């Protein structure tokens, strides 16, 4: 519990540091965008911290509906969480499964095909993949719609329809997770091949265990740990791609209007987005750290020793 409390405290520090950094940079580089207030920069900074982190008040948006940023965050954050979590899960699961399949026969046709798909996923921008998907399979606009199925063009909240929500997010999850899947596939394949030469794997074979059980019990856990580390460190990249994916698929998340916020100098919304993004990265990093602690006994042993 103490370690968990420290990690949660670390997330708060990350959110505070990221938002404070953005506040200071904006005030120092563009002071003309802010109204003159008494108390100087230090006083204004303290007032901002009090409003933002004690009352969750970033002010009102300067464009559009001019609603409070806190309300926009509350309404858009569930969609952001859905897109980011689904993309992470798809990328990690697809990359791990593909890496295991490639490691079984590294020079086989299936392995080469999967590596080719992974390479395309890493090299092609997500907005290109997303737009191509809509142009080919978009409902009512796609050129190719097998069996009458198409990618929905409208986001459906989970509270309105669970199946509609799932159908609207399957394509964004795949598009967002493809770059991560390609990276995880390469790492997982290399780790599985490396682990296959370890002595404990030879001992397991000597005991007569099946290859499937050896891969599952003796090779997968140590090979999975570096892959989880890669996925955790790739969260900022995925969060950047969330902005593009939400724009392409019209997902009403917090980050969908990021470009307009920067173009229109919508400072309250920019600061709110910064806090939300830092929170997503901090929580995701914590979850991956907990998964690594559970998966790798060496990490647990090191924590116990301390």
């Amino acid at each position: 519990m103490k370690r968990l409390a420290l990690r949660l405290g670390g997330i708060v520090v990350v959110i505070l540091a990221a938002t404070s950094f953005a506040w200071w940079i904006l005030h120092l580089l563009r002071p003309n965008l802010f109204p003159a207030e008494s108390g100087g920069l230090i006083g204004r900074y303290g007032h901002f911290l009090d409003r933002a982190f004690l009352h969750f008040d970033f002010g009102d948006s300067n464009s559009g509906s001019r609603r409070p940023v806190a309300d926009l965050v509350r309404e858009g954050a569930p969609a952001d969480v859905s897109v980011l979590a689904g993309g992470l899960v798809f990328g990690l699961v697809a990359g791990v499964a593909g890496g295991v399949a490639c490691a079984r026969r590294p020079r086989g046709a299936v392995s080469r095909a999967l590596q080719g798909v992974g390479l395309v996923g890493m090299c092609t921008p997500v907005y290109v993949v997303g737009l191509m998907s809509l142009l080919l399979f978009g409902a009512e606009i796609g050129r190719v719609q097998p069996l009458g199925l198409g990618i929905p063009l409208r986001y459906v909240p989970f509270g309105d329809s669970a199946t509609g929500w799932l159908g609207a997010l399957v394509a964004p999850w795949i598009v967002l997770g493809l770059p991560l899947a390609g990276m995880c596939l390469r790492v997982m394949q290399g780790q599985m091949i490396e682990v296959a030469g370890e002595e404990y794997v030879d001992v397991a074979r000597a005991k007569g265990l099946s290859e499937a059980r050896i891969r599952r019990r003796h090779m997968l856990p140590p090979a999975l740990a570096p892959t989880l580390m890669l996925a955790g460190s790739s969260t900022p990249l995925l969060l950047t791609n969330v902005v593009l994916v939400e724009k392409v698929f019209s997902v009403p998340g917090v980050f969908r209007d990021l470009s307009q916020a920067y173009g229109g100098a919508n400072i309250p919304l920019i600061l709110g987005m910064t806090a939300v993004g830092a929170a997503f990265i901090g929580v995701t990093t914590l979850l991956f750290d907990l998964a690594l602690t559970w998966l790798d006994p060496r990490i647990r042993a090191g924590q116990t020793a301390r």
Side-chain angles (χ1 to χ4, degrees):
M1 291 298 295
K2 183 178 179 180
R3 297 190 189 95
L4 181 59
L6 290 174
R7 287 172 173 172
L8 292 175
I11 294 176
V12 175
V13 172
V14 168
I15 299 172
L16 178 62
T19 311
S20 298
F21 178 77
W23 188 95
W24 278 101
I25 289 295
L26 291 170
H27 276 73
L28 292 175
L29 296 181
R30 290 291 184 268
N32 58 301
L33 297 177
F34 302 90
E37 298 180 8
S38 59
L41 275 178
I42 300 298
R44 281 183 282 175
Y45 174 61
H47 181 60
F48 165 74
L49 293 181
D50 175 71
R51 289 189 300 107
F53 293 96
L54 296 182
H55 301 90
F56 195 55
D57 179 15
F58 291 92
D60 295 340
S61 174
N62 295 336
S63 61
S65 61
R66 299 185 180 275
R67 298 173 57 200
V69 173
D71 292 344
L72 298 177
V73 170
R74 292 189 188 97
E75 293 175 2
D80 293 323
V81 173
S82 300
V83 173
L84 180 61
L88 272 172
V89 171
F90 171 80
L92 187 59
V93 172
V96 169
V100 172
C102 291
R104 295 181 63 182
R105 295 180 180 178
R107 299 186 179 182
V110 174
S111 176
R112 295 186 184 278
L114 290 175
Q115 292 181 58
V117 173
L119 182 61
V120 172
M122 288 189 296
C123 298
T124 309
V126 293
Y127 61 85
V128 174
V129 178
L131 289 174
M132 289 176 58
S133 301
L134 288 177
L135 292 175
L136 288 173
F137 305 104
E140 301 177 1
I141 65 171
R143 300 298 298 272
V144 180
Q145 295 188 39
L147 304 179
L149 301 177
I151 299 174
L153 303 180
R154 184 177 64 89
Y155 174 78
V156 180
F158 183 83
D160 294 347
S161 172
T163 55
W165 170 84
L166 180 63
L169 286 180
V170 168
W173 286 343
I174 295 174
V175 172
L176 180 63
L178 271 178
L180 178 62
M183 292 186 290
C184 290
L185 183 147
R186 286 176 170 264
V187 173
M188 195 67 189
Q189 179 186 5
Q191 290 295 318
M192 288 289 289
I193 293 175
E194 180 178 347
V195 170
E198 296 291 340
E199 292 184 0
Y200 59 85
V201 176
D202 294 335
V203 172
R205 288 197 178 97
K207 291 181 178 180
L209 298 180
S210 64
E211 287 295 325
R213 186 172 183 181
I214 291 174
R215 283 193 297 270
R216 184 177 66 253
R217 295 290 299 274
H218 299 279
M219 296 174 61
L220 186 60
L224 190 58
T227 308
L228 287 178
M229 294 177 64
L230 171 67
S233 62
S234 300
T235 303
L237 173 62
L238 261 72
L239 188 61
T240 303
N241 287 337
V242 165
V243 180
L244 303 174
V245 170
E246 289 184 348
K247 194 72 175 178
V248 170
F249 291 97
S250 300
V251 178
V254 177
F255 302 103
R256 186 180 62 173
D257 298 325
L258 180 63
S259 58
Q260 289 86 344
Y262 279 107
N266 194 342
I267 304 302
L269 186 56
I270 292 173
L271 294 176
M273 290 178 177
T274 302
V276 172
F280 285 167
I281 294 174
V283 171
T284 305
T285 303
L286 171 62
L287 295 176
F288 276 110
D289 286 345
L290 294 176
L292 280 170
T293 302
W294 169 78
L295 184 66
D296 195 335
R298 294 170 296 183
I299 299 178
R300 295 196 299 269
Q303 292 180 348
T304 304
R306 289 195 296 270

